[in-house]
Amino acid sequence: PKPNEIFVAYNIIWRLPSPEKPLMVSISMSRSCLPASAYIPLFKDYLNINGTVGLCLHKAIFNEGDAQRVAAWIELNKALGAELITIYYQKVTQEVENVIQYYANQGIVEALDWKINISNKLVYNTGQLGTIQDCFYRNFNRFKYMAFYDIDEFIVPHRHATWQGMLKVIDKPWASYFEFYNSFWHDVGKIIEGSNITKRGCSQLKTPVFFKRTNRTANLPPTKRHKMIVKPQLCYHIDIHNIKSQVKGYRRLWVPEVVGIMHHYRQKDYTMSEKQTEDLSLSRYTEAVMKGLYQKFCD
């Protein structure tokens, strides 16, 4: 638990007494099973891994009112290779909820109303660790790989157009998860070509922040705010920046900067003083992202 935290997320693992799968369970701290909790329904267990890469938004969208920001995040992740994006949300505007439902209807988003209704003073980051574990086990048998990061972050390949192409090349038999160096991105007055809204005739649409920040951290720190893509079948306990436990004999693979990095677009650009380098790697996704945003907000 974090300091002053009252509510925490727990992983509870037990053996079923019979091969039949229950529809719901109840939890008790006593051997007599009394008192017991209310019944907890179990969601579907996918037995066959049909997908390659899924994405977990690993912190619930909370008090969010910028519908275009959410849509742009989804569109770029679609372009990067996300086959399904699991999104948790709580206390969002109707416009944001409409955007989430719009992409859910397309089949690219699975939307879950994270109704914990607990103050951040009592639970860490709107129950972030619970969100991570729920998403991990919800998708455990759906995908060969799962990415985990926040609404202002993206894992971006540098040598390949998609995660699928990158992972096919870098995967190793001993790797349980892939760690990507964090980079902060800065606005220096330049916009990636093709994303200039004034030239496209849609006044209500804004240029996504990731197309307006073209400079990034020059010397990537190996120990700060990195994010990861995991192999669900080889991991047990997912944390915010690393794996807490995994299958014995497997280990982390650090992804070289030339292969791919984690892009971090903090709303408040507070690291402008760091050493920077220009990086236009997102230019290959401009057409796909802007096309998707136009279809949602301008057609």
Side-chain angles (χ1 to χ4, degrees):
K2 305 293 182 181
N4 303 319
E5 192 174 13
I6 294 177
F7 297 95
V8 296
Y10 281 91
N11 287 343
I12 301 175
I13 301 173
W14 72 95
R15 295 184 182 277
L16 294 175
S18 70
E20 295 183 7
K21 294 184 178 181
L23 298 177
M24 55 187 67
V25 298
S26 184
I27 299 172
S28 174
M29 300 295 291
S30 169
R31 287 183 176 274
S32 67
C33 295
L34 295 172
S37 72
Y39 283 110
I40 304 169
L42 302 182
F43 57 79
K44 181 179 179 180
D45 182 17
Y46 294 85
L47 299 179
N48 298 314
I49 300 176
N50 294 318
T52 303
V53 191
L55 169 63
C56 288
L57 175 60
H58 78 168
K59 183 168 67 175
I61 301 176
F62 184 75
N63 284 342
E64 177 63 63
D66 191 341
Q68 289 190 30
R69 179 184 182 226
V70 176
W73 185 82
I74 294 171
E75 288 291 350
L76 180 51
N77 281 304
K78 284 172 57 180
L80 290 168
E83 296 161 23
L84 180 70
I85 305 169
T86 304
I87 292 179
Y88 298 78
Y89 65 96
Q90 181 176 339
K91 294 183 180 180
V92 298
T93 64
Q94 188 60 54
E95 290 78 11
V96 170
E97 191 164 355
N98 290 345
V99 161
I100 293 172
Q101 190 57 51
Y102 170 80
Y103 288 103
N105 291 340
Q106 293 183 11
I108 186 63
V109 163
E110 181 178 43
L112 299 162
D113 192 344
W114 195 233
K115 297 178 180 178
I116 58 172
N117 296 320
I118 301 173
S119 167
N120 267 348
K121 295 180 180 179
L122 304 178
V123 61
Y124 181 70
N125 260 349
T126 65
Q128 181 177 16
L129 295 177
T131 305
I132 292 171
Q133 301 312 315
D134 184 87
C135 194
F136 173 67
Y137 284 105
R138 184 178 295 273
N139 293 285
F140 188 80
N141 286 322
R142 278 175 165 174
F143 298 98
K144 183 178 180 180
Y145 307 98
M146 287 295 303
F148 291 82
Y149 51 77
D150 207 352
I151 192 72
D152 60 355
E153 299 169 339
F154 304 91
I155 289 176
V156 179
H158 281 182
R159 287 181 174 172
H160 306 84
T162 65
W163 296 334
Q164 288 84 346
M166 175 184 66
L167 291 166
K168 185 177 181 180
V169 172
I170 68 172
D171 198 358
K172 302 294 182 184
W174 48 263
S176 54
Y177 68 106
F178 309 88
E179 201 87 72
F180 293 83
Y181 295 107
N182 174 72
S183 59
F184 289 109
W185 288 71
H186 312 293
D187 187 345
V188 293
K190 185 174 182 177
I191 297 178
I192 290 181
E193 186 176 353
S195 63
N196 191 331
I197 300 304
T198 59
K199 296 181 179 180
R200 288 180 172 252
C202 182
S203 59
Q204 67 267 35
L205 192 60
K206 299 178 294 186
T207 300
V209 66
F210 47 77
F211 289 147
K212 295 195 294 184
R213 298 188 185 184
T214 55
N215 276 24
R216 65 166 173 86
T217 310
N219 300 315
L220 301 185
T223 58
K224 287 186 177 181
R225 302 185 184 281
H226 39 260
K227 293 296 168 63
M228 56 202 171
I229 295 176
V230 311
K231 295 180 182 176
Q233 300 295 319
L234 298 178
C235 301
Y236 299 132
H237 185 187
I238 312 297
D239 203 12
I240 298 171
H241 298 290
N242 51 45
I243 301 297
K244 289 294 186 183
S245 58
Q246 57 196 311
V247 175
K248 187 176 181 180
Y250 294 88
R251 62 186 188 274
R252 170 175 58 189
L253 187 156
W254 275 104
V255 179
E257 178 182 345
V258 295
V259 175
I261 60 175
M262 203 274 283
H263 291 213
H264 201 161
Y265 299 90
R266 283 288 179 90
Q267 284 188 299
K268 184 178 181 181
D269 191 356
Y270 63 89
T271 56
M272 278 292 290
S273 60
E274 69 176 358
K275 187 177 180 181
Q276 302 175 21
T277 184
E278 185 179 75
D279 187 331
L280 303 178
S281 55
L282 285 189
S283 60
R284 72 174 77 182
Y285 308 107
T286 307
E287 187 60 35
V289 171
M290 298 310 296
K291 180 180 179 180
L293 293 177
Y294 265 78
Q295 289 174 346
K296 173 66 184 79
F297 295 102
C298 302
D299 286 351

